[in-house]
């Protein structure tokens, strides 16, 4: 429900160390057991699954399945020698297509997308050709492509879709895209949906990673929605402006304390403070004897500075 459709292409993008492969194995598990996905979303039916993994060796996959308490099943398949798989290999593709039809495979997981074709990921022509070849494998299955993110651009807030590495054609061709990033610690993920062709995108949410002492990751649990950075900055602006209006000539420490009470990080508050200054809604001054400490006021109170001998 909400995460994976009956057919189409789902792209999972994320920086290194965001457990994308592990997460997909967990997804396969709930598609077998039909327990709630992330402890929240309904699983409507069991699926037959093919996993083509060129990133992880079978021994590592086996260890992960054991940690997840993966059920015994005859409906999840792995290619034993995935290194030979590429979209341009017509003979191999015909074999895979026949296999999908014979076994009535519902879901194919490709890890990772860049390893599956010979072309350039920055070429719209090469990526379009690869995705079209993949679509030709099965018109009724859903394909999950695991992919890497692009390099961050300093001082630029990017959408989840813009964080996809390679040609913009990749995001244009897929039906659904999710971006994974690390949470505040190694025990959580932040998941943002960058594209949803047929429905309204899901709100950004946090996932708790449940690990055992010796077993590795055991489970993934939905922990609720997370507001995006732009929304949080706008919220911080409202809180800061109102606080300064009620407490003229307050310090940054005073403002940070108020933000903390409203569960807003210092970094987000700093961006909100900067935005208010650039918009000319607030300003700051210094008080003799307080070093370089700044005292903030809203601009409609600027005339009060001249009346207060304690301020320069």
């Amino acid at each position: 429900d909400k995460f994976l459709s009956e057919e189409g292409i789902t792209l999972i993008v994320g920086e290194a160390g965001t457990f994308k492969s592990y997460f997909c194995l967990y997804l396969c598990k709930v598609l077998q057991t039909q327990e709630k996905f992330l402890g929240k979303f309904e699983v409507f039916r069991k699926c037959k699954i093919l996993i083509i993994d060129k990133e992880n060796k079978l021994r590592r996959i086996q260890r992960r399945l054991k940690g997840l308490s993966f059920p015994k099943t005859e409906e999840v398949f792995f290619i034993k020698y995935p290194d030979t798989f590429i979209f341009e290999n017509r003979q191999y593709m015909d074999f895979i297509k026949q296999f999908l039809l014979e076994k009535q495979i519902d879901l194919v997981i490709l890890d990772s997308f860049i390893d599956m074709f010979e072309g350039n990921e920055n070429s719209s022509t090469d990526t379009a050709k690869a995705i079209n070849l993949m679509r030709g494998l099965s018109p009724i299955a859903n394909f999950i492509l695991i992919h890497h993110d692009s390099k961050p651009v300093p001082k630029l807030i990017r959408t989840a879709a813009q964080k996809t590495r390679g040609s913009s054609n990749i995001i244009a061709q897929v039906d659904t895209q999710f971006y994974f990033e690390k949470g505040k610690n190694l025990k959580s993920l932040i998941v943002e949906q960058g594209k949803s062709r047929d429905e309204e995108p899901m709100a950004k949410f946090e996932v708790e990673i449940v690990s055992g002492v010796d077993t590795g990751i055991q489970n993934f649990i939905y922990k609720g929605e997370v507001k995006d950075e732009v929304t949080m900055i706008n919220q911080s602006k409202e809180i800061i402006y109102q606080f300064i209006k009620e407490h003229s000539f307050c310090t940054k420490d005073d403002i940070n304390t108020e933000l903390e009470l409203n569960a807003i990080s210092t970094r987000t508050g700093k961006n909100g403070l900067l935005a208010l200054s650039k918009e000319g809604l607030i300003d700051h001054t210094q008080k003799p004897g307080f070093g370089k400490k700044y005292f903030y006021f809203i601009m409609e109170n600027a005339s009060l500075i001249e009346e207060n001998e304690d301020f320069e």
Side-chain angles (χ1 to χ4, degrees), residues 7-11 131 134-135 142-143 145 173-176:
E7 57 187 71
I9 300 177
T10 300
L11 185 69
I131 291 174
M134 181 191 61
R135 286 187 187 276
N142 190 307
F143 292 83
L145 309 181
Q173 290 279 326
V174 303
D175 302 291
T176 307

Side-chain angles (χ1 to χ4, degrees), residues 9-231:
I9 300 177
T10 300
L11 185 69
I12 294 181
V13 180
E15 56 188 16
T18 49
F19 307 103
K20 299 182 293 294
S21 302
Y22 231 133
F23 188 89
C24 286
L25 290 178
Y26 162 75
L27 177 63
C28 292
K29 174 189 173 181
V30 300
L31 288 172
Q32 296 300 301
T33 64
Q34 291 188 271
E35 61 192 79
K36 284 191 175 182
F37 174 57
L38 301 177
K40 178 178 176 64
F41 303 103
E42 295 292 338
V43 177
F44 297 121
R45 66 179 179 88
K46 293 178 69 174
C47 291
K48 293 185 177 181
I49 302 166
L50 172 64
I51 298 175
I52 305 175
D53 190 337
K54 301 181 79 166
E55 291 277 317
N56 303 287
K57 300 299 181 183
L58 285 175
R59 186 181 298 275
R60 176 183 294 171
I61 295 172
Q62 185 180 42
R63 185 169 63 250
R64 291 177 174 180
L65 293 176
K66 185 176 180 180
L68 289 167
S69 299
F70 205 95
K72 291 185 178 180
T73 177
E74 295 183 356
E75 297 187 341
V76 178
F77 302 88
F78 292 85
I79 290 182
K80 190 172 184 180
Y81 302 108
D83 291 343
T84 57
F85 177 87
I86 55 171
F87 295 128
E88 289 86 354
N89 187 331
R90 182 60 61 85
Q91 184 176 0
Y92 206 116
M93 290 285 281
D94 288 343
F95 162 73
I96 295 295
K97 183 174 183 178
Q98 187 63 30
F99 180 84
L100 298 182
L101 293 173
E102 286 181 2
K103 299 294 183 180
Q104 295 184 310
I105 298 295
D106 302 292
L107 176 65
V108 182
I109 297 176
L110 302 173
D111 190 2
S112 65
F113 175 59
I114 186 59
D115 297 324
M116 302 296 174
F117 66 100
E118 294 179 332
N120 186 341
E121 66 177 351
N122 294 306
S123 166
S124 60
T125 301
D126 290 349
T127 53
K129 179 181 178 182
I131 291 174
N132 288 334
L133 287 169
M134 181 191 61
R135 286 187 187 276
L137 286 175
S138 173
I140 61 170
N142 190 307
F143 292 83
I144 292 181
L145 309 181
I146 298 177
H147 192 43
H148 303 292
D149 66 342
S150 59
K151 293 181 179 180
V153 180
K155 299 182 180 180
L156 178 64
I157 298 176
R158 301 176 300 161
T159 65
Q162 290 170 335
K163 294 174 183 177
T164 300
R165 197 175 80 182
S167 169
S168 59
N169 177 70
I170 298 174
I171 195 70
Q173 290 279 326
V174 303
D175 302 291
T176 307
Q177 185 254 14
F178 290 93
Y179 182 76
F180 286 23
E181 61 182 311
K182 298 173 184 175
K184 294 180 180 179
N185 50 53
L186 296 178
K187 296 181 180 180
S188 69
L189 293 173
I190 305 299
V191 180
E192 180 180 4
Q193 187 168 21
K195 182 178 181 181
S196 179
R197 192 184 297 276
D198 300 320
E199 298 181 14
E200 283 293 316
M202 297 173 65
K204 184 188 291 190
F205 60 92
E206 183 177 12
V207 175
E208 179 185 356
I209 302 170
V210 180
S211 299
V213 176
D214 301 315
T215 58
I217 295 177
Q218 297 176 323
N219 205 1
F220 295 85
I221 300 176
Y222 179 87
K223 297 299 291 183
E225 293 183 5
V226 176
K227 294 181 180 178
D228 62 71
E229 185 70 8
V230 173
T231 300

